[in-house]
Amino acid sequence: METGWMAWLRAELGPTPGRLRNTLRITITTLLVVILSMALQVPEAALSCFMVFFVTKQNWRTTTLVGALAIVGVTISIGLSLLLYRFTVDLPEWRIPGIAALLFAGMFFSRVFAIGPLAFILGFVLSATQSVAELAPSSELLVQALLWLWVVVSYPLALTVVVGRFLLPVEATAAAAHSSKKKSLFASDTFTNPTYVRFALKVTLAAMSCYIVYTAVDWAGIHTAFITCCFIALEDAKATLYKGMLRIVGCLIGALLGFLAILYLVPHMESIASLSLLIGAVSFGAAWIATGSERISYAGLQIAFAFFMCLLQGFGPGTDFDTIRDRIVGILFGISMMTLVFCLLWPESPEDQLPPALAGVFRKPVH
């Protein structure tokens, strides 16, 4: 007889309408990104692959909207970041407060703005690009890396939209596609609800704490901590404890899969075909989880993020265990810092948001 959590897990992993289609779309697009990145030697293939997971939504219309907004956002933010470098690249006393201010603004407006993804992309890219300025050997290489970043982010977004349009499209329902209500540009309680400011402050505090720590100890390899803090803060922060658990579990699973792949499979790979089979298999599993309900989707995203960061280190499968160690440490550090900050600063009770089968695990016993 199945226990409560086993029955819950079986139900969450079971097939639902449109789930297989979305999973196949993500998997096929991810494979196309890997092949193109390796063939054309586009750097940061791991980030390109994760963008496929980031932009894919339940139907093609929403995916197209989010993808278009993301491309516009990254284009504007890259241009603004190049402009800011003229004033901040050699002035850390201005650049560091600027990173915090840009990140706070991006996170705040991502929650209150009608097109929140655009605000998130602007805030994240601007703050992230400013945070890596000291890592570049020269200004010329810094500008070159920034221009490459536009390619790294934009082309998988565009590819995801195209694949979603012509391959296994999932259309929105009539009720979702057509709405007669006129929506406001900002949330009605933008300046009266303290939740939005608190959310932005918590994300900014966690990300900047990570940045200050790895900069102070001169361990630039764990800079993925800053990125992790931003990407795991995309949705509502309720049930912090439960979502923090999903993030850590997903990261550990993805990292373990990446470690085992490099240890036992990568040494025997001789072509892009074998690498594609491996990435396709893991992407399918991660996408299946990511396209589930909000109760498990975070884990799927984290599995994909950690696996890609471990395996895709250059123009081929990674073999450097130091890089794997640094990236895993960075991801776990970012997740831990986010969980700590969200649990201690203006904490939100997780009990009401837990699945019924798991709620008892976190609730205190009643005497």
Side-chain angles (χ1 to χ4, degrees):
M1 184 175 179
E2 291 184 336
T3 59
W5 73 269
M6 284 291 291
W8 171 83
L9 185 61
R10 178 187 290 273
E12 290 294 334
L13 294 178
T16 55
R19 190 171 191 175
L20 179 59
R21 285 189 176 187
N22 275 324
T23 299
L24 288 174
R25 288 165 60 202
I26 293 174
T27 304
I28 292 171
T29 309
T30 301
L31 288 176
L32 290 175
V33 168
V34 170
I35 294 172
L36 288 173
S37 293
M38 299 304 168
L40 302 177
Q41 294 195 342
V42 179
E44 299 296 337
L47 181 57
S48 294
C49 289
F50 182 73
M51 295 310 297
V52 177
F53 281 75
F54 167 74
V55 76
T56 300
K57 304 303 177 184
Q58 291 300 319
N59 57 78
W60 175 73
R61 294 178 186 275
T62 307
T63 300
T64 301
L65 176 61
V66 175
L69 288 176
I71 292 174
V72 171
V74 75
T75 302
I76 295 174
S77 55
I78 290 294
L80 290 176
S81 193
L82 286 171
L83 179 62
L84 286 174
Y85 277 148
R86 296 187 58 186
F87 308 100
T88 63
V89 67
D90 295 321
L91 296 172
E93 64 272 18
W94 288 103
R95 183 162 45 83
I96 293 176
I99 295 171
L102 290 168
L103 184 58
F104 174 85
M107 290 300 165
F108 175 78
F109 286 106
S110 71
R111 296 292 299 276
V112 302
F113 199 35
I115 45 178
L118 177 60
F120 169 79
I121 290 293
L122 285 169
F124 167 70
V125 175
L126 280 169
S127 59
T129 52
Q130 293 295 309
S131 71
V132 298
E134 67 271 4
L135 301 180
S138 66
S139 299
E140 181 180 354
L141 291 177
L142 180 61
V143 173
Q144 183 179 355
L146 202 59
L147 295 176
W148 266 118
L149 179 63
W150 182 86
V151 178
V152 167
V153 174
S154 296
Y155 101 82
L157 294 176
L159 188 61
T160 302
V161 173
V162 172
V163 171
R165 175 64 180 87
F166 295 103
L167 181 64
L168 302 173
V170 182
E171 294 299 334
T173 62
H178 302 285
S179 176
S180 58
K181 291 184 178 180
K182 185 178 181 180
K183 295 182 179 180
S184 174
L185 191 59
F186 292 95
S188 58
D189 58 349
T190 296
F191 301 108
T192 58
N193 189 345
T195 302
Y196 305 129
V197 173
R198 291 174 180 177
F199 171 81
L201 282 174
K202 288 190 284 189
V203 177
T204 303
L205 177 60
M208 293 306 297
S209 296
C210 291
Y211 171 77
I212 292 171
V213 168
Y214 68 68
T215 301
V217 301
D218 195 23
W219 194 358
I222 64 171
H223 69 278
T224 47
F226 185 94
I227 299 173
T228 300
C229 288
C230 297
F231 270 99
I232 65 177
L234 290 179
E235 297 185 14
D236 194 357
K238 293 179 180 178
T240 304
L241 179 60
Y242 176 62
K243 287 191 175 182
M245 179 187 69
L246 281 182
R247 293 161 187 160
I248 293 175
V249 169
C251 173
L252 291 176
I253 292 174
L256 178 62
L257 290 174
F259 177 81
L260 293 176
I262 292 175
L263 190 62
Y264 295 108
L265 299 179
V266 170
H268 304 289
M269 291 181 178
E270 298 179 353
S271 66
I272 188 67
S274 55
L275 176 62
S276 298
L277 286 174
L278 172 60
I279 292 178
V282 176
S283 296
F284 185 91
W288 183 267
I289 298 173
T291 53
S293 72
E294 292 184 356
R295 292 181 290 272
I296 65 169
S297 59
Y298 259 37
L301 291 174
Q302 289 303 313
I303 290 171
F305 185 58
F307 179 76
F308 294 147
M309 294 297 283
C310 290
L311 189 68
L312 300 174
Q313 301 176 18
F315 304 121
T319 56
D320 187 350
F321 285 99
D322 288 341
T323 301
I324 295 177
R325 177 204 61 198
D326 290 352
R327 291 183 173 184
I328 293 175
V329 169
I331 294 169
L332 289 175
F333 182 35
I335 292 172
S336 300
M337 186 63 71
M338 281 287 288
T339 303
L340 180 65
V341 170
F342 273 78
C343 284
L344 297 181
L345 190 63
W346 297 302
E348 299 174 359
S349 175
E351 287 84 353
D352 295 335
Q353 302 297 324
L354 290 174
L358 298 180
V361 176
F362 298 101
R363 288 191 178 125
K364 295 181 180 178
V366 179
H367 299 288

